[in-house]
Amino acid sequence: MSIGLFEQEILRREAMAELRKLGIDPYPPEAFEVNVNAQDIKDNYERDKTSYKNISFAGRIMSRRIMGSASFAELQDSTGRIQAYINRDEICPGEDKTLYNTVFKKLLDIGDFIGVKGYVFTTKTGEISIHVSEMTILSKSLKPLPIVKRDDEGHVYDGFTDPEMRYRQRYVDLTVNPEFKHIFMNRSKVINTMRNYFDSQGWMEVETPILQPVHGGAAARPFETHHNTLDMPLFLRIANELYLKRLIVAGFDGVYEFGKMFRNEGMDRTHNPEFTAMEIYVAYKDYIWMMAMVEECLEKVALAVHGSSKVKVADQEIEFAGPYEKLSMYDSIKKYTGIDVSAMDESALRQTCKDLKIEIDPTMGRGKLIDEIFSKKVEEHLIQPTYITDYPIEMTPLAKKHRSKEGLVERFELFVMGKEIANAYTELNDPIDQRERLEDQLLLAGRGDEEAMAMDEDFLRALEYGMPPTSGLGIGIDRLVMLMTNQSTIQEVLFFPQMRPEKKAKLPSLEDFIAIGVPAEWVPVIQKMGFNTVEELKAANPNKVFNDLGGMRKKMKLEITMPQKEVVMEWFS
RNA sequence: GAUUUGGUAGCUCAGCUGGUAGAGCAUAACACUUUUAAUGUUGGGGUCCUGGGUUCGAAUCCCAGCCAGAUCACCA
């Protein structure tokens, strides 16, 4: 493996070997005690200089400026960067200057982790720096990091910007572009704020199955897998709603879960196959109560992340303090199209879609047609937080029928910046009604609707034992984080967004070469010489190959044993 | 899935109407005791994404494929 690399990586491996020869372990096992971080020094040193006279700091070397027997290096820890001043005669007080001349100047590289002890001071040019008196190598970096340079105004000169590499190698991205860490720190803050709020209300965090025999609770195509011992198919959950409701049946007054959901559908900048949802169910409440709860919750989140209920997103300023605007689904369509769809039957809706130039297909029922009109004509207008309420019953098999409006259910969705952020119901707890509604879904499935909800007999049995009136809410955490961190793609708020596998260099199998007697460590050399298959190698002149192997060994400074000539000749026999 | 843009050194990118590859940073060597995008001098470093085709000759033109981004469609 080590030979597909080139000079910089070979040099670093040599430096690592040199360190070992000098008796320095490039990967020491001992803990290195740290008593300060970069942010702390920068924030507090000027005020309190006496506290920084004996510090111990650890981080990565991110740049070096060597000037003879004095040097500057930028060290980066989890909180930021701080400059270190290293003077030869200070870290090497005796005759032996090896630690500076050889170890620091020759054997250390950008990316290495080191620990330093010393004191904080301000340089002539006014930079708060660490004056190093002792230096310890903590971990050697064998691959060169991309170098990102910034000037005083913060201009970036050689940015590490390729999104493919940033997502595939997030460890490199966050090392050289540490500003992106704030997105993930804020993501954590969003989740913790919600969790603290729920806990303070006395609701309980729970975990429910990810592997489910029936994929219920939402409309989406699932990932399917198989359990060997039970010899049965299982689905990765597309939702956890039905399990959380079982817990309300079981007698908990409030339960919530943050968890990954999995949907086997398209990927784009707002969809990843696995994503995080938060669902919460509270007994003895309805969807009107839930609206107020959401307003309180999101305001707390905005305050935690930004210190303000107002959040800048793209070119808008979003106000997360409630109350939010409320608009029924029918009214919203009327508002933005001028059309009253409330009394239309399926064929009238089809005509309306045609008039509005909205594509439809024959499998769509009344609910889906209305949803199409809504998503094409209304969603984009909903910039400030807006509740869309009272959905047609056909679209929502798990919500309770509206207390006063025929044909509707008690449901709301919260839209911000034209995107759905939350979805909530007064939950359907009438087991007879629930069974009928799921049976209607089966009819839709029969019409070819791949997303119609499946029947879940055990869930119906739970309802038959009795579920208290309950309101439930789901929030898409990734999209909420996108809003709170002003990001336009979901990949930027996921550490490891889903990617196609990296293409592998099309190398023939190691085994083929080993089979004809080539030592494993020489296979990469042969490949580097241009022989990609055993056949190509055998077609070459054996003497030339033998000579070239020696040449490559020297050129690439390989420390592996040269094979005997007779051995090489046998490769060709 | 459709359209479109891109894939060249470790990183960011040049490379015209086809003539066998360049810069900056990084890296190596030398100089330099307070620099900060350090500087100066001198080097090394490439399967130009892959596979076909056209051509005397392809990083460049054509076709197919792979990966990624954007837009759209689908999907909450």
Side-chain angles (χ1 to χ4, degrees), chain A residues 428-445:
Chain A
L428 176 53
N429 61 345
D430 173 343
I432 307 297
D433 189 5
Q434 182 68 83
R435 179 175 292 279
E436 286 168 3
R437 305 266 282 274
L438 288 175
E439 280 166 355
D440 289 345
Q441 289 291 304
L442 292 181
L443 290 179
L444 283 179

Side-chain angles (χ1 to χ4, degrees), chain A residues 8 34 38 48 95 149 160-161 180 189 204 206 287 407 436 477 532 542 560:
Chain A
Q8 293 191 38
V34 171
D48 179 20
E95 285 300 303
K149 295 224 172 191
F160 179 72
T161 53
F180 288 112
K189 220 179 257 182
M204 184 174 75
V206 299
Y287 78 141
E436 286 168 3
I477 295 297
N532 284 324
I560 53 182

Side-chain angles (χ1 to χ4, degrees), chain A residues 395-455:
Chain A
M395 298 166 62
T396 316
L398 301 173
K400 191 178 278 192
K401 282 177 181 146
H402 196 279
R403 60 194 72 182
S404 61
K405 297 176 189 166
E406 188 67 26
L408 301 182
V409 291
E410 296 204 348
R411 171 185 186 182
F412 73 80
E413 290 189 317
L414 175 62
F415 286 83
V416 184
M417 291 292 289
K419 291 269 186 289
E420 180 214 330
I421 297 301
N423 180 22
Y425 310 147
T426 300
E427 300 295 341
L428 176 53
N429 61 345
D430 173 343
I432 307 297
D433 189 5
Q434 182 68 83
R435 179 175 292 279
E436 286 168 3
R437 305 266 282 274
L438 288 175
E439 280 166 355
D440 289 345
Q441 289 291 304
L442 292 181
L443 290 179
L444 283 179
R447 268 171 80 168
D449 186 341
E450 288 187 25
E451 289 150 14
M453 224 171 269
M455 183 64 72

Side-chain angles (χ1 to χ4, degrees), chain A residues 2-16:
Chain A
S2 59
I3 304 175
L5 344 154
F6 293 92
E7 47 158 3
Q8 293 191 38
E9 289 169 288
I10 293 166
L11 287 163
R12 285 179 180 224
R13 280 172 160 74
E14 284 171 0
M16 178 180 69

Side-chain angles (χ1 to χ4, degrees), chain A residues 62 81 145-146 148 150 160 172-179:
Chain A
M62 294 307 285
R81 290 190 186 185
L145 286 169
V148 177
R150 292 173 175 81
F160 179 72
V172 173
D173 178 33
L174 295 180
T175 298
V176 303
N177 299 323
E179 62 275 16

Side-chain angles (χ1 to χ4, degrees), chain A residues 5-121:
Chain A
L5 344 154
F6 293 92
E7 47 158 3
Q8 293 191 38
E9 289 169 288
I10 293 166
L11 287 163
R12 285 179 180 224
R13 280 172 160 74
E14 284 171 0
M16 178 180 69
E18 278 306 307
L19 287 172
R20 288 218 162 90
K21 273 189 203 153
L22 290 169
I24 299 170
D25 184 347
Y27 303 102
E30 298 84 17
F32 182 84
E33 196 181 321
V34 171
N35 62 18
V36 71
N37 65 45
Q39 192 67 50
D40 175 11
I41 294 173
K42 286 194 222 164
D43 289 349
N44 302 316
Y45 168 68
E46 292 287 1
R47 267 210 310 280
D48 179 20
K49 297 192 175 177
T50 51
S51 298
Y52 296 89
K53 291 194 164 158
N54 202 352
I55 62 146
S56 181
F57 176 92
R60 252 192 219 272
I61 301 173
M62 294 307 285
S63 76
R64 282 193 303 172
R65 293 180 284 276
I66 296 172
M67 283 149 291
S69 50
S71 294
F72 291 90
E74 280 182 287
L75 303 182
Q76 174 171 293
D77 70 5
S78 66
T79 66
R81 290 190 186 185
I82 185 99
Q83 178 170 267
Y85 171 70
I86 296 161
N87 181 299
R88 180 186 65 199
D89 297 325
E90 301 228 15
I91 62 166
C92 307
E95 285 300 303
D96 181 5
K97 305 299 185 190
T98 308
L99 182 64
Y100 183 79
N101 285 339
T102 306
V103 175
F104 178 74
K105 279 170 68 176
K106 309 278 189 201
L107 303 181
L108 287 188
D109 290 289
I110 288 175
D112 292 351
F113 286 89
I114 62 171
V116 296
K117 295 187 178 178
Y119 59 89
V120 179
F121 75 115

